[in-house]
Amino acid sequence: MTMIPESLSFAILAGFPPLVGLYAAFIMGLVTAVLGGRPGMVSGGAGATVIVLIALMKSHGIEYVFAAVALAGVFQILVGVFKFGKFIRLVPQPVMYGFVNGLAVIIFMSQLEQFKTVVNGETVWLSGTPLYIMGGLVALTVAIVAFFPKITKAVPASLVAIMAIFAISLMFNIETKTVEDIASVQGGFPPFHLPQLPLNLETLQIILPYALIMGAVGLTEGLLTLNLVDDITETRGNANRECVAQGTANIANGFFGGMGGCPMIAQTFVNLNAGARARLSGIVAALTILLIILVGAPVIGKLPVAALTGVMMMVAITTFEWSSFKVINRMPKADIIIGMLVAAITIVFHNLALAVLAGVIISALVFAWQSAVSIHCHSFTDPEGTKHYEIYGPLFFGAVTTFNEKFSPKTDPEKIIIDFKESTISDMSAIEALNNLTKKYSAEQKTVYVKNLNPQSLALLQKAGDLISVNLLTD
């Protein structure tokens, strides 16, 4: 019952028939519960992936959306088959903060569209009595969702809020927009449906960008959720299996009229807090949604849109990482900027995959710079006249310039020893720097020896083979 409001709300937000959202909740929930890499994790028609498809829906229509969802599923399966799921570990905490906060802002701002109506073909803001009714019902929904858990957590607060608003609107005969005013949710078992669109290169060029972004967003949110569940349950899920399950579910969505989706953080937490640790919980949830589609449509159609809007506003408020404000003064400035940048890209471009990718790249560059400036050495000359350089910190492309500045080929004695006991040769740039340093000393009729290389550094030197000339000292 916590999946239905979100799936309906996001389907309506994107301009899809509400039934497309419910089909997605059923298909995603069932397939990932059976095949997924994390028992207890819940998938459905999540907002993170739907937001990516809004532009495609507006420009080309729902048939292109179905094709993009199926293609995203193929991409996700390939990620799982080639075992790329492990790379989610490379997403830093500031990027996660920015990602979640940006998504929360998008969800909240998108709900403001429900405060508009169409008059004489133009979209205008509600005013007068309709605005007061809509605002009052939304505010009451938010209040119930926020405060009901303080009474009991045995029943989902969002369900209580929706039923309360539903009852109030019926008792007082309140005129307000309902789900059936947007589209019917009456339906049967999801029918097999081939997307009706031209099978040519032009079509592929249209749907491919959306498919890749949706697939990446779904995997990002899914694998981040999987990591969180691992921490909560103190068990370990299978990231690559989850990628394949998500992909399979999205392919099924594309051919059975669903809007696609990914794991849902809030619903997963509801499931875990209820004690679920096995696959049966997700299977039962999915089958319950199908039952509602088959026999409960008349009731769902009467739900006030204001109730779903209020629930989604609370989803946005609870999704936002408010704790990020508490730690902002304790975080490095670079991390603060990265988090804000990721959130801004998410909000402006509605492209969560681009935002996360940009955040990871900038974080990597910041780390590379900090590592580059941290390399240093201690030098001394022993009684035999040999000069020793003890290197501290990794030697890689960013640290090469600082590394070279530590040596004086013209003034050093005839023999020098570079000790890598506290360092690592990390890449080709480091090997080339060492080779060039050896050449500089050779030009001065002096000899460079290298010692205490770890296995990783030795492997790189041996792979370079005859391309370099370095003297190794062994104990």
Side-chain angles (χ1 to χ4, degrees), residues 443-466:
E444 300 291 334
Q445 307 300 315
K446 299 172 183 178
T447 307
V448 175
Y449 294 93
V450 177
K451 72 174 186 177
N452 289 329
L453 291 175
N454 61 21
Q456 175 190 339
S457 303
L458 275 173
L460 284 174
L461 288 178
Q462 289 167 358
K463 192 172 183 179
D466 298 334

Side-chain angles (χ1 to χ4, degrees), residues 245-260:
Q246 278 193 52
T248 305
N250 276 317
I251 291 175
N253 266 276
F255 291 106
F256 285 91
M259 66 184 183

Side-chain angles (χ1 to χ4, degrees), residues 169-225:
S169 64
L170 288 179
M171 287 171 57
F172 295 98
N173 197 26
I174 298 173
E175 289 190 15
T176 185
K177 185 165 64 173
T178 61
V179 171
E180 67 182 3
D181 292 332
I182 300 170
S184 172
V185 294
Q186 180 72 48
F189 191 85
F192 180 77
H193 170 76
L194 285 173
Q196 301 299 306
L197 72 176
L199 297 177
N200 54 37
L201 187 60
E202 182 182 354
T203 299
L204 181 62
Q205 290 174 337
I206 293 170
I207 66 173
L208 182 60
Y210 293 98
L212 290 175
I213 294 169
M214 178 190 169
V217 167
L219 291 181
T220 301
E221 178 139 334
L223 296 179
L224 290 177
T225 304

Side-chain angles (χ1 to χ4, degrees), residues 286-354:
L287 294 177
T288 302
I289 291 172
L290 177 62
L291 187 64
I292 289 171
I293 294 172
L294 297 177
V295 301
V299 176
I300 296 294
K302 298 294 183 183
L303 291 179
V305 171
L308 300 182
T309 300
V311 168
M312 292 310 299
M313 284 186 169
M314 278 306 297
V315 168
I317 292 169
T318 54
T319 298
F320 196 92
E321 285 282 0
W322 298 102
S323 60
S324 58
F325 288 122
K326 297 180 181 178
V327 300
I328 195 166
N329 292 328
R330 303 175 187 176
M331 294 170 64
K333 290 182 179 179
D335 287 352
I336 297 171
I337 293 172
I338 290 168
M340 294 173 64
L341 179 65
V342 170
I345 294 174
T346 303
I347 294 166
V348 174
F349 296 102
H350 286 205
N351 189 331
L352 281 76
L354 175 63

